[in-house]
Amino acid sequence: MRRVFFSFHYERDVRRAAVVRNSQRFLDRDEWQFLDGVEWEEVRKTSDLAIKRWINKELKYTSVTVVLIGAKTSERKWVDYEIQQSLLKNPKNGLLGIRLDAVKDMNTGTETSGDPPWRMDGFPVYRWVPGTSETRVGAWLEKAARDAGR
């Protein structure tokens, strides 16, 4: 079983992230497990050390990290830390990005995606296209895992 960690700008993109995360209904549920980041609400109110510990714990048994790219994602220190820790794992996590510019937030609509975080250089970045990406995300995840030797 492969486990997936999602990295994104929580305050801005949590509703958009839910669209991508809910696409798991198109995948074989025995093959992929998407981790739930609800604990983030509580842990982000604590210290930087507690946040790092939580991220490290959540990444521990994952094989792929998906960076969901919104307008301000590349500016987030915790996204940078999550990518860094994903690549430091042994074996390292597969890594891919998904642009969220076509994903609607029920309150704010859509917005232009920003640049991918600099640590994503050399890794694939896809654009989420409603109606088609739901059936492609499994292949994207599998490719990232294989590219990382997982």
Side-chain angles (χ1 to χ4, degrees):
M1 176 189 312
R2 298 192 192 276
R3 297 178 76 189
V4 179
F5 182 87
F6 286 91
S7 178
F8 57 94
H9 186 315
Y10 188 84
E11 291 82 12
R12 292 185 63 95
D13 296 322
V14 69
R15 289 180 203 87
R16 290 179 184 88
V19 171
V20 176
R21 290 169 48 100
N22 288 336
S23 71
Q24 70 179 327
R25 69 180 182 265
F26 296 99
L27 303 174
D28 179 350
R29 290 177 190 254
D30 293 332
E31 183 179 349
W32 291 96
Q33 182 178 3
F34 291 2
L35 297 180
D36 188 5
V38 173
E39 292 176 34
W40 177 251
E41 276 295 320
E42 291 305 313
V43 77
R44 71 187 183 114
K45 298 174 188 172
T46 61
S47 68
D48 281 3
L49 180 59
I51 292 170
K52 286 180 178 181
R53 285 181 180 153
W54 180 83
I55 290 168
N56 294 340
K57 177 183 71 118
E58 291 296 303
L59 281 169
K60 190 170 186 175
Y61 297 106
T62 61
S63 53
V64 176
T65 298
V66 177
V67 179
L68 301 176
I69 303 166
K72 305 280 184 178
T73 304
S74 66
E75 299 172 15
R76 303 299 294 170
K77 78 175 182 178
W78 295 120
V79 169
D80 184 61
Y81 181 79
E82 291 160 352
I83 295 168
Q84 177 187 32
Q85 294 306 303
S86 295
L87 297 175
L88 287 174
K89 286 179 61 182
N90 186 15
K92 69 181 180 177
N93 268 15
L95 182 65
L96 68 109
I98 300 177
R99 292 183 176 277
L100 298 177
D101 58 322
V103 180
K104 286 186 181 179
D105 177 304
M106 64 184 162
N107 295 327
T108 60
T110 59
E111 66 180 11
T112 303
S113 288
D115 292 327
W118 69 271
R119 290 187 192 271
M120 295 221 40
D121 287 351
F123 292 95
V125 175
Y126 304 94
R127 182 172 182 268
W128 188 265
V129 178
T132 61
S133 293
E134 295 88 345
T135 59
R136 294 181 180 158
V137 70
W140 298 343
L141 295 170
E142 189 60 36
K143 181 180 182 326
R146 284 192 194 133
D147 288 351
R150 306 280 312 228

